Amino acid sequence: MHSIPMISHSIAISKFPHPFSSSYSSSLPHTLSFTINGGGGPFLSYPLQKSPSFLISAPKIQSLRVLAAASVPEAKSDEPIKPAGLIQTLQLGAMFGTWYLLNIYFNIYNKQVLKVYPFPATVTAFQFGFASLMINLIWSLNLHPRPNITRSQLVAILPLVVAHTMGNLLTNISLGKVAVSFTHTIKAMEPFFTVLLSSLFLGEMPNFVVVSSLVPIVGGVALASMTELSFNWIGFATAMASNLTNQSRNVLSKKLMVNEEETLDNINLYSLITIISFFLLVPFTIFLEGFKFTPSYLQSAACQGLNVRELCVRSVLAAFCFHAYQQVSYGILQMVSPVSHSVGNCVKRVVVIVSSVIFFQIPLAPLNMLGTGVALVGVFLYSRAKQIKPKPHTKAA
């Protein structure tokens, strides 16, 4: 029988602040900017008033403004919001640790499932569906107000839903074909696509420092790809396509959702995108893979050696971690600047790569490790380069 190895560790989840929280802006002292991420990184930024807790909705605002952010959030201010006191510092450290732990477990459980159950569309739909159930439970218990979405809001977010759905699906296809470490190395290329698409469609030309930071990213990914022992063209292409899809989503959000005069807080915006993604993906999944999660199919698979009980347990755990790590991520973003968050995100990718190599005992060539390291250093340099503000031109007297 195919058996999925058990993980002896347990996941400790603490209560955290607002899951889709905000980053402070020095130019807008009374507003917060939140960013939403799906699989690959944050992609929506949205001004709203500060919400003190995870399950308490933000007050109504004047307008809905959803702007794109790069996969590494751009800062409005170079100074983070420093926790006031030892308790807040310890809480922030615990949240970073939990964020990394949830990512590690998600990637391990997800890879375990995809190895014995090679249906990435079904797996992705299940993850969206599980998250949708959690969201509806929160609404049903009146822990957060259920939104009344308007037609204009729906039209505005539909392109983002499509990109969000495809980004998560392509990532899972890649994870099913190649090593977790290789998929995350390729996904370090997201800044390159951010700069390229922003230049082509938004006319945002990067400065020399930003362009220079892309060189180690591209070079490192190329070196890692040439020396990757688990290299597979489908896995490579889908991971690269997920980068393109995620950054296209950012450009779409900038072009299509600039000034919708409606009220929609960040929790409900993420919730709606997740739920709509589920309903969008289900018919596509049935068309592409058929009904692969029915009792009759699972019973047939069990007769062929699949451990159905372990598959179901791992699928639920992966879906829970998928939803929970995003909530913790934006809780952290409420407490620190986007610069600190982007650095933490870079460290998170390193942690995921290293943990997956150790857990799955993935053999790595020296040049492969060098390429991965160079690419991750490039991502860090890019996140720092984006914070450099051009010097204002002074008029001659």
Side-chain angles (χ1 to χ4, degrees):
M1 291 180 61
H2 297 287
S3 176
I4 305 175
M6 297 293 293
I7 299 177
S8 59
H9 305 288
S10 61
I11 303 176
I13 307 294
S14 304
K15 293 184 179 178
F16 299 102
H18 199 301
F20 307 107
S21 307
S22 313
S23 56
Y24 290 81
S25 168
S26 59
S27 60
L28 298 174
H30 301 294
T31 64
L32 296 172
S33 173
F34 78 90
T35 313
I36 288 182
N37 149 308
F43 65 94
L44 300 176
S45 118
Y46 178 43
L48 62 150
Q49 298 179 8
K50 182 178 179 182
S51 174
S53 128
F54 162 41
L55 295 173
I56 299 178
S57 61
K60 289 191 174 181
I61 60 174
Q62 294 288 331
S63 63
L64 165 68
R65 184 181 300 272
V66 183
L67 299 177
S71 58
V72 178
E74 298 181 12
K76 300 292 185 181
S77 171
D78 290 335
E79 296 183 0
I81 298 172
K82 298 181 179 179
L86 179 61
I87 296 178
Q88 289 83 352
T89 303
L90 293 175
Q91 181 188 31
L92 182 60
M95 291 177 70
F96 268 103
T98 305
W99 184 27
Y100 295 163
L101 188 65
L102 287 168
N103 270 273
I104 291 171
Y105 276 99
F106 166 70
N107 282 278
I108 290 176
Y109 286 135
N110 204 33
K111 181 63 176 180
Q112 287 178 327
V113 170
L114 290 168
K115 283 177 68 175
V116 300
Y117 187 76
F119 304 108
T122 302
V123 171
T124 307
F126 178 80
Q127 291 168 358
F128 284 149
F130 184 89
S132 299
L133 289 176
M134 294 180 66
I135 291 165
N136 278 282
L137 179 63
I138 291 173
W139 285 341
S140 299
L141 296 176
N142 293 321
L143 299 175
H144 192 83
R146 189 186 301 269
N148 294 317
I149 187 170
T150 65
R151 179 176 298 181
S152 61
Q153 288 174 326
L154 181 61
V155 171
I157 69 175
L158 276 179
L160 307 178
V161 169
V162 174
H164 176 61
T165 304
M166 293 304 298
N168 282 277
L169 174 59
L170 290 168
T171 298
N172 275 343
I173 293 175
S174 177
L175 287 170
K177 295 293 184 181
V178 297
V180 173
S181 58
F182 186 49
T183 296
H184 280 273
T185 300
I186 298 171
K187 289 182 73 64
M189 280 279 290
E190 283 184 340
F192 172 81
F193 288 97
T194 299
V195 172
L196 177 64
L197 294 175
S198 296
S199 300
L200 291 176
F201 298 105
L202 299 177
E204 298 178 358
M205 303 305 296
N207 58 42
F208 175 77
V209 178
V210 170
V211 174
S212 299
S213 70
L214 298 178
V215 175
I217 296 177
V218 176
V221 170
L223 180 60
S225 300
M226 289 188 296
T227 57
E228 173 60 37
L229 299 178
S230 69
F231 184 86
N232 175 284
W233 277 109
I234 296 178
F236 174 82
T238 50
M240 198 65 75
S242 72
N243 289 335
L244 180 62
T245 304
N246 290 333
Q247 303 317 309
S248 298
R249 174 188 57 195
N250 296 346
V251 174
L252 285 172
S253 63
K254 279 189 175 181
K255 292 180 71 71
L256 299 178
M257 302 190 68
V258 177
N259 193 24
E260 292 290 328
E261 295 184 355
E262 300 288 346
T263 298
L264 193 64
D265 66 75
N266 55 352
I267 295 178
N268 281 333
L269 181 59
Y270 171 77
S271 300
L272 288 170
I273 288 176
T274 301
I275 294 172
I276 299 173
S277 293
F278 170 68
F279 287 105
L280 177 67
L281 186 57
V282 165
F284 178 78
T285 298
I286 295 173
F287 173 77
L288 187 66
E289 298 177 347
F291 294 92
K292 293 297 189 295
F293 215 74
T294 60
S296 59
Y297 177 84
L298 294 177
Q299 184 177 4
S300 174
C303 295
Q304 299 177 12
L306 178 66
N307 190 325
V308 176
R309 180 179 178 276
E310 288 187 4
L311 172 66
C312 293
V313 170
R314 296 303 182 277
S315 297
V316 170
L317 290 173
F320 173 79
C321 293
F322 171 76
H323 187 67
Y325 84 71
Q326 297 181 72
Q327 295 186 349
V328 177
S329 173
Y330 294 106
I332 293 172
L333 192 57
Q334 182 185 19
M335 303 176 67
V336 301
S337 72
V339 180
S340 299
H341 189 275
S342 64
V343 173
N345 191 60
C346 183
V347 174
K348 180 207 73 178
R349 199 175 294 281
V350 175
V351 170
V352 170
I353 290 175
V354 172
S355 62
S356 65
V357 168
I358 294 173
F359 183 84
F360 293 109
Q361 299 181 348
I362 302 171
L364 294 177
L367 286 178
N368 182 272
M369 291 187 288
L370 176 63
T372 300
V374 169
L376 293 173
V377 169
V379 173
F380 172 77
L381 294 177
Y382 171 83
S383 67
R384 301 298 300 180
K386 292 295 290 182
Q387 315 313 319
I388 299 177
K389 299 178 181 179
K391 295 181 179 180
H393 296 284
T394 58
K395 295 182 179 180

